[in-house]
Amino acid sequence: MKVAKVIATCFLPKAHIPKTYLVGDPIGYFGHSQKSDNASDVIDLLKFSIEKEKTCVPGANRDLIIVNNNVNYEEGNKFIEDISETDIPFGKIKCITRENIGRSFGAYNEAFLKFRKEYDFFLFSEDDVIIAKDNYLKIGLEIWNNSPEAGFIAYICKTKIGKWHWEALGLNKNTAYSCHGATGLSSTKILDKVVEKHGCLP
């Protein structure tokens, strides 16, 4: 079995979040703090993620697929080009630079459509989220295997959806929760069904 860990990135400054915040189920201080004042800080975020991947044991063979939503930041695009096809423990780094449409979800879709024949599972994440606990994939796959009705295993669960989205999404105060940033694991088999219905990962 082989897993693709997809990290969506974009070389733009990010919102300044000075403190972590409560989120999740069970609740904890899992909401990320960050200070990313310029595009080069995003390179540092990616370097940090890669170093964490090198020092933890994921619990399954996986490749790291970094999807760059291109904003024509030359230094960042060169960094992506330089790290592509390099080896890391338990896999390698693969990179895609694409048109900046659809934000992280567009990046997830691009990676899945391009690589779905090569992997059994996909773990999706953004560049400012670190998933680096030893056996992080083994744990997710065990939950998957023990959950016959599962379609997606949230790695950050759960985030309250703002009221301004409720009507359009058919939600209410009891159902207005989501997996933060779509950070989580699903199988190629399930994701293929989504593509069959919608033509892509919407």
Side-chain angles (χ1 to χ4, degrees):
M1 176 180 1
K2 198 163 183 189
V3 182
K5 181 178 181 181
V6 178
I7 297 179
T9 193
C10 186
F11 293 104
L12 290 174
K14 301 182 186 307
H16 182 197
I17 305 171
K19 293 181 180 180
T20 191
Y21 53 90
L22 287 166
V23 68
D25 184 6
I27 193 110
Y29 284 100
F30 309 125
H32 53 85
S33 62
Q34 64 188 23
K35 185 173 186 288
S36 180
D37 294 326
N38 55 60
S40 66
D41 286 346
V42 179
I43 295 174
D44 291 336
L45 275 174
L46 291 171
K47 286 179 178 177
F48 184 76
S49 288
I50 292 166
E51 284 310 307
K52 289 293 181 186
E53 288 295 328
K54 288 178 178 178
T55 58
C56 78
V57 178
N61 289 331
R62 62 82 193 86
D63 289 333
L64 190 62
I65 300 173
I66 299 175
V67 185
N68 170 26
N69 287 329
N70 189 14
V71 291
N72 298 315
Y73 178 60
E74 205 170 296
E75 185 183 348
N77 289 357
K78 177 74 165 59
F79 173 76
I80 291 292
E81 184 181 312
D82 289 346
I83 62 171
S84 190
E85 299 303 318
T86 58
D87 291 328
I88 56 173
F90 307 99
K92 70 181 347 180
I93 298 172
K94 299 180 180 185
C95 297
I96 304 169
T97 294
R98 65 182 292 273
E99 193 174 356
N100 185 22
I101 294 175
R103 300 180 132 187
S104 297
F105 294 95
Y108 300 159
N109 176 61
E110 184 99 5
F112 179 69
L113 293 181
K114 182 168 184 173
F115 293 111
R116 63 183 171 170
K117 294 191 184 321
E118 297 180 35
Y119 301 97
D120 304 296
F121 284 85
F122 282 76
L123 173 61
F124 300 108
S125 181
E126 295 176 320
D127 59 9
D128 56 358
V129 174
I130 302 298
I131 302 170
K133 175 185 174 76
D134 278 348
N135 291 314
Y136 70 81
L137 282 175
K138 182 180 179 186
I139 292 164
L141 292 167
E142 285 175 354
I143 293 169
W144 181 274
N145 290 330
N146 290 316
S147 308
E149 300 296 317
F152 191 86
I153 304 297
Y155 271 55
I156 303 177
C157 167
K158 54 195 175 182
T159 301
K160 186 84 169 165
I161 297 172
K163 286 184 179 181
W164 54 92
H165 291 299
W166 290 9
E167 186 178 345
L169 297 173
L171 301 173
N172 60 50
K173 67 179 182 179
N174 298 317
T175 60
Y177 293 94
S178 75
C179 167
H180 185 79
T183 302
L185 178 78
S186 190
S187 71
T188 300
K189 183 177 177 182
I190 292 291
L191 296 172
D192 274 338
K193 290 179 181 179
V194 175
V195 171
E196 187 179 323
K197 182 171 181 178
H198 298 284
C200 63
L201 299 181

